């Protein structure tokens, strides 16, 4: 009886994986077609190249990129100066080290509890099963996308 239930569950999971992978593959193919059509339309009407050229021309005339670079350098220098003056980086590193040590100690105490460790093991097993199902769906989707692209040729 238990084996029958297990077989039914496996069959149901396989059907769900097949359905999801089919939907993903069809969505991928549709999306790829839509992107290709958008590229062709853009190339015909030069929608992205004209504004890009205009922005580049304005940047060259006004020197915006250069001004932003200079401003960024000045701000970075001031930040470095303030950090050296008030030792923010060192204090932050020390605080993180203490926090990490406290968290490690707390984690050890928590994991020594048998209920917590049993729950963690159950969660790990459940996560592994979900990861395996996701991997199976990914492989199936890839195969279906490749088949759909071959059929188009």
């Amino acid at each position: 009886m238990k084996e029958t239930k297990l077989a039914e569950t496996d069959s149901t999971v396989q059907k769900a994986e097949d359905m999801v992978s089919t939907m993903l593959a069809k969505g991928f193919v549709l999306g790829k077609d839509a992107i290709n059509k958008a590229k062709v339309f853009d190339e015909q009407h030069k929608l992205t190249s004209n504004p890009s050229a205009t922005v580049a021309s304005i940047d060259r005339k006004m020197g915006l990129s250069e001004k932003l670079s200079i401003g960024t350098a000045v701000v970075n220098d001031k930040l470095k100066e303030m950090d050296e003056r008030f030792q923010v980086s060192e204090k932050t590193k020390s605080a993180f080290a203490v926090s990490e040590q406290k968290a490690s100690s707390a984690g050890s105490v928590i994991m020594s509890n048998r209920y917590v460790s049993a729950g963690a093991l159950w969660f790990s097993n459940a996560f592994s099963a979900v990861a395996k199902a996701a991997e199976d769906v990914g492989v199936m989707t890839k195969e279906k996308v490749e088949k759909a692209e071959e059929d188009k040729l």
Side-chain angles (χ1 to χ4, degrees):
M1 182 73 177
K2 199 173 193 180
E3 291 176 9
T4 306
K5 288 271 190 200
L6 214 58
E8 288 175 6
T9 302
D10 285 348
S11 174
T12 303
V13 168
Q14 287 174 344
K15 287 177 186 176
E17 288 175 347
D18 186 52
M19 183 180 69
V20 169
S21 68
T22 299
M23 289 172 28
L24 288 171
K26 288 184 179 185
F28 178 82
V29 171
L30 285 173
K32 191 174 178 183
D33 287 345
I35 288 172
N36 288 335
K37 288 178 183 176
K39 282 181 184 177
V40 169
F41 184 81
D42 179 52
E43 289 168 1
Q44 289 174 346
H45 301 289
K46 296 182 182 3
L47 296 174
T48 55
S49 63
N50 290 339
S52 296
T54 303
V55 169
S57 173
I58 291 171
D59 181 38
R60 278 192 305 275
K61 289 177 186 172
M62 298 179 72
L64 294 176
S65 294
E66 184 180 334
K67 290 175 184 171
L68 285 172
S69 295
I70 292 170
T72 302
V74 168
V75 169
N76 285 340
D77 287 344
K78 290 293 180 188
L79 286 173
K80 185 177 178 183
E81 183 182 313
M82 294 300 287
D83 183 42
E84 288 172 357
R85 184 173 174 190
F86 295 109
Q87 298 175 343
V88 175
S89 294
E90 286 304 315
K91 290 176 182 176
T92 304
K93 286 178 190 175
S94 296
F96 273 126
V98 169
S99 298
E100 191 176 69
Q101 186 179 16
K102 296 289 183 187
S104 178
S105 297
S108 296
V109 169
I110 290 171
M111 286 309 292
S112 66
N113 182 310
R114 69 183 178 134
Y115 297 110
V116 171
S117 61
L121 180 62
W122 176 86
F123 182 78
S124 176
N125 291 340
F127 184 77
S128 295
V130 170
K132 174 70 172 114
E135 180 184 353
D136 292 346
V137 168
V139 169
M140 292 169 70
T141 301
K142 182 180 177 195
E143 291 170 356
K144 289 178 181 181
V145 166
E146 290 170 353
K147 184 176 182 330
E149 289 180 341
E150 286 175 7
D151 291 347
K152 286 180 97 176
L153 299 176

